[in-house]
Amino acid sequence: MSEIEREAMEYDVVIVGAGPAGLSAAIRLKQLDSDLDVVVLEKGSEVGAHILSGAVLDPCGLDALIPDWKAKGAPLNTPVKEDNFYMLGEAGEIRIPNFPMPPLMNNHGNYIVSMGNVCRWMAEQAEELGVEIFPGMACSELVYGENGEVKGVVAGVFGLEEDGSYGPNTEPGMELHGKYVFLSEGVRGSLSKEVIAKYNLQDGKEPQKFGVGMKEIWEIDPAKHNLGEVTHTMGWPLGKNAGGGSFIYHLENNQVYVGFVVHLNYKNPHLFPYMEFQRFKHHPMVAELLKGGKRVAYGARAISEGGYQSMPKMVAPGVALLGCSVGMVNVPRIKGNHNAMLSGIHAAEAAFVAIKNGQSGDELDGYEALVRTGPIAKDLKKVRNVKPIWSKWGLTASLMLGGLDMWTNTLGFSLFGTVKHGKSDAEATEEASKHKPIDYPKPDGKLSFDRLTNVSFSMTNHEESQPCHLRLADDSVPVAVNLPKFAEPAQRYCPAGVYEVVEEEGKDPRFVVNFQNCVHCKTCDIKDPSQNITWVTPQGGDGPNYPNM
Ligand SMILES: Cc1cc2nc3c(=O)[nH]c(=O)nc-3n(C[C@H](O)[C@H](O)[C@H](O)COP(=O)(O)OP(=O)(O)OC[C@H]3O[C@@H](n4cnc5c(N)ncnc54)[C@H](O)[C@@H]3O)c2cc1C
């Protein structure tokens, strides 16, 4: 595609992705120097359309970025007032008291927010400072300079033919060049993946680890609603099959965020994360809360879980990775938005100094140093062993040893050093013959729903005549390898029902990719045991249209 003629626009900093990381970087750059030319490109139809984390927000990132956010009307309206942890069994639950929890697990001072709305508000602040924000503009390619540095991106390609070629209705998009390009695409970003591979940024680090998070918004009976209540659960229904757990956050308007995360290093390819989520809602404690209510939205997104030891090198010539493009989620706290914001601030500060020195296209070492020595590293280092201990020795060990380790780390030491994650999530998948299929109850249409019905509540839309953005390196692998070996787990790990194996009498099985359903969670790119699926960005504006997730 390099022979395509495109217009080019020059900026100081080009930012890919209008999540908390990208928007924080844009705001800080303009706070430091209002003359800097800064552009933010977002693939969602509007800022917030692809933001899923309806969230408990630790405001430390926002405090550092916009200290008077309250006066400026930031949508942080619901302080957390109650924090509950439960261990679930099939028919009951045990409350884990708060006092043995290390202080970092306390949600006092945090807020239940719609991160989509927080990002919409941050975009307004950025635009007031003069940042150019273009939603509906997917960045589909990196542009490299003469010395191999990243010098920009291609954005805004529309109307490709189904085979990926240019046709009469194709708009070739444009090149946006910057002295520095910030990739703030969130978890498993497609351009970030290219940069990590090209510059070997993961070398010497542990593999990145992931979970898949699914979420519904429910409107519930006001009598059961408890504004500001936060509940986390572990245990049933996952049991020993996988790590993970749930969250239930009571936000405004009698709504609750009901979410479920399944760690993607599960071994049994018969596991069906979406159905685990649906089953979870039938637990008596959860069913009682939701009964009589209605589900008003659904979405899904991968979440990075590798933490401190999995963060790749974050800079390469001309480019820096921000937020969850690096993987900055504090797993036991299920929080990454504060670190995404702090990373945006750090990247902006480093770029500002470099640009003032007349530099461009080089490595922003100052940014990496700020992340690895500052508050982000401090936050992530304390909890670095919780996930690998859970993966190696199970939930009970993680509660006891992981809890102990968080306590000792709070005091400044660890008995375990740094525990390794080992295998990637794709490699963790074992052959189907070693495991029993799992029998999932049929959704009842009241508390639990089939996948396609739920996907319609994500308002997902893709122009059908474009090329499929879920690329198979080898078309034969799903049926020839994945089906006999792993019972083709794509049919189950995808929370949007994109992948099907169609088996008709007298015919060979067929692998079907319904890319129109894709909610951009990236689970397939992560979990496919043959690593045969690559998620690339479809044209801008496509994908989910989340309201206030
Ligand atoms: C289910 C779930 C629950 C969570 N709960 C919490 C919580 O309670 N509290 C908390 O603090 N954190 C939570 N997190 C983690 C949090 O979501 C992330 O840490 C945070 O979103 C990272 O911010 P980011 O800016 O790096 O990426 P994102 O928020 O993912 O933003 C990336 C943006 O870039 C855009 N983009 C990506 N690629 C391109 C491209 N090529 N071209 C143009 N645009 C692109 C995307 O559309 C998106 O808008 C949760 C995550 C999940 C999945």
Side-chain angles (χ1 to χ4, degrees):
M1 278 185 210
S2 50
E3 70 278 8
I4 304 293
E5 291 266 316
R6 295 190 174 96
E7 258 183 66
M9 288 177 73
E10 304 295 327
Y11 289 90
D12 289 304
V13 181
V14 173
I15 300 176
V16 179
L23 291 167
S24 299
I27 290 170
R28 178 58 109 220
L29 281 162
K30 293 296 265 185
Q31 287 171 338
L32 290 166
D33 182 350
S34 58
D35 288 334
L36 288 173
D37 290 324
V38 181
V39 65
V40 180
L41 303 148
E42 168 54 49
K43 67 179 163 62
S45 59
E46 55 156 352
V47 172
H50 290 181
I51 298 291
L52 183 85
S53 84
V56 173
L57 178 69
D58 175 341
C60 65
L62 201 53
D63 287 341
L65 184 69
I66 306 178
D68 58 344
W69 54 261
K70 250 185 203 155
K72 289 199 158 116
L76 277 65
N77 304 324
T78 310
V80 176
K81 65 165 197 208
E82 202 179 311
D83 232 347
N84 306 312
F85 293 88
Y86 290 98
M87 181 66 79
L88 301 189
E90 185 161 0
E93 66 278 346
I94 297 170
R95 172 106 197 251
I96 303 172
N98 294 44
F99 69 85
M101 303 267 179
L104 64 91
M105 294 296 286
N106 190 336
N107 273 315
H108 182 75
N110 297 334
Y111 293 81
I112 301 173
V113 298
S114 151
M115 268 319 282
N117 288 345
V118 171
C119 287
R120 289 178 187 105
W121 175 84
M122 289 176 76
E124 282 167 22
Q125 307 306 304
E127 281 179 329
E128 273 175 27
L129 292 167
V131 175
E132 289 178 41
I133 301 182
F134 296 118
M137 291 284 272
C139 301
S140 47
E141 283 178 58
L142 291 162
V143 179
Y144 293 98
E146 280 171 9
N147 302 314
E149 80 283 13
V150 174
K151 82 166 192 196
V153 294
V154 173
V157 180
F158 288 95
L160 285 171
E161 299 288 298
E162 254 180 81
D163 63 359
S165 64
Y166 279 60
N169 298 321
T170 304
E171 291 174 32
M174 58 195 314
E175 289 192 7
L176 296 106
H177 299 167
K179 294 185 175 120
Y180 295 99
V181 174
F182 288 176
L183 297 179
S184 43
E185 299 177 285
V187 62
R188 198 66 161 196
S190 44
L191 301 181
S192 312
K193 193 178 158 190
E194 180 178 326
V195 163
I196 290 170
K198 181 177 165 71
Y199 299 103
N200 303 315
L201 302 184
Q202 202 68 42
D203 283 5
K205 315 283 191 240
E206 283 291 287
Q208 186 53 270
K209 306 292 285 180
F210 303 90
V212 54
M214 295 150 287
K215 199 174 91 187
E216 293 170 359
I217 304 183
W218 280 72
E219 270 167 26
I220 62 164
D221 176 354
K224 299 178 191 169
H225 189 263
N226 183 18
L227 189 68
E229 182 184 307
V230 162
T231 297
H232 290 105
T233 76
M234 288 170 285
W236 191 85
L238 289 172
K240 291 192 172 139
N241 284 331
S246 83
F247 56 90
I248 303 174
Y249 303 153
H250 292 239
L251 67 156
E252 298 148 284
N253 304 323
N254 295 317
Q255 291 192 331
V256 283
Y257 291 135
V258 183
F260 200 79
V261 175
V262 177
H263 299 179
L264 283 173
N265 59 357
Y266 61 82
K267 295 177 183 164
N268 181 352
H270 298 293
L271 190 104
F272 199 152
Y274 174 83
M275 292 306 288
E276 296 286 344
F277 175 31
Q278 296 308 304
R279 191 148 72 154
F280 155 76
K281 289 180 288 169
H282 287 272
H283 187 276
M285 183 180 92
V286 187
E288 179 49 35
L289 177 75
L290 301 180
K291 223 179 272 165
K294 68 172 182 196
R295 167 272 276 115
V296 292
Y298 167 75
R301 183 81 169 95
I303 179 167
S304 61
E305 294 186 339
Y308 185 75
Q309 54 273 57
S310 297
M311 287 197 294
K313 187 178 169 201
M314 313 155 203
V315 292
V319 65
L321 306 177
L322 276 56
C324 277
S325 290
V326 174
M328 294 182 174
V329 171
N330 179 319
V331 175
R333 297 179 76 203
I334 333 181
K335 286 186 189 60
N337 288 305
H338 61 301
N339 286 336
M341 291 180 185
L342 291 169
S343 80
I345 295 172
H346 293 332
E349 287 170 352
F352 166 72
V353 171
I355 291 169
K356 285 292 143 206
N357 286 340
Q359 294 163 233
S360 70
D362 56 348
E363 296 194 4
L364 281 176
D365 298 329
Y367 163 55
E368 177 120 16
L370 285 167
V371 172
R372 295 204 184 268
T373 57
I376 298 176
K378 224 169 138 195
D379 183 53
L380 296 180
K381 202 170 174 191
K382 281 187 205 148
V383 301
R384 69 192 180 282
N385 290 330
V386 174
K387 160 91 181 181
I389 288 177
W390 190 340
S391 306
K392 279 187 194 352
W393 297 303
L395 174 57
T396 313
S398 136
L399 281 173
M400 317 233 336
L401 301 179
L404 171 70
D405 195 58
M406 284 196 284
W407 265 113
T408 60
N409 272 296
T410 307
L411 304 172
F413 69 99
S414 168
L415 299 170
F416 299 96
T418 298
V419 184
K420 289 182 182 311
H421 292 299
K423 290 178 186 165
S424 73
D425 293 333
E427 289 163 347
T429 318
E430 292 182 348
E431 294 197 13
S433 58
K434 287 191 176 168
H435 297 272
K436 285 199 185 116
I438 304 171
D439 195 17
Y440 290 100
K442 246 179 111 166
D444 69 355
K446 294 185 188 114
L447 288 176
S448 48
F449 312 99
D450 67 76
R451 260 186 308 190
L452 292 187
T453 306
N454 238 353
V455 170
S456 70
F457 282 76
S458 67
M459 274 68 81
T460 294
N461 179 48
H462 286 87
E463 171 63 52
E464 299 211 1
S465 58
Q466 66 183 307
C468 173
H469 66 279
L470 302 153
R471 297 202 181 142
L472 302 181
D474 179 342
D475 286 355
S476 70
V477 163
V479 167
V481 180
N482 283 358
L483 190 57
K485 244 175 130 174
F486 304 106
E488 184 45 282
Q491 304 174 86
R492 292 171 295 280
Y493 60 60
C494 171
V498 166
Y499 301 100
E500 283 178 89
V501 176
V502 178
E503 304 199 50
E504 290 162 322
E505 231 185 281
K507 291 188 184 165
D508 289 337
R510 276 182 305 124
F511 188 63
V512 178
V513 182
N514 303 301
F515 75 88
Q516 299 83 350
N517 294 350
C518 175
V519 293
H520 298 196
C521 75
K522 321 264 176 91
T523 302
C524 51
D525 192 296
I526 296 162
K527 186 61 178 169
D528 177 29
S530 302
Q531 284 296 277
N532 188 47
I533 304 176
T534 299
W535 190 100
V536 298
T537 183
Q539 68 184 32
D542 284 359
N545 281 288
Y546 295 136
N548 57 339
M549 293 290 244

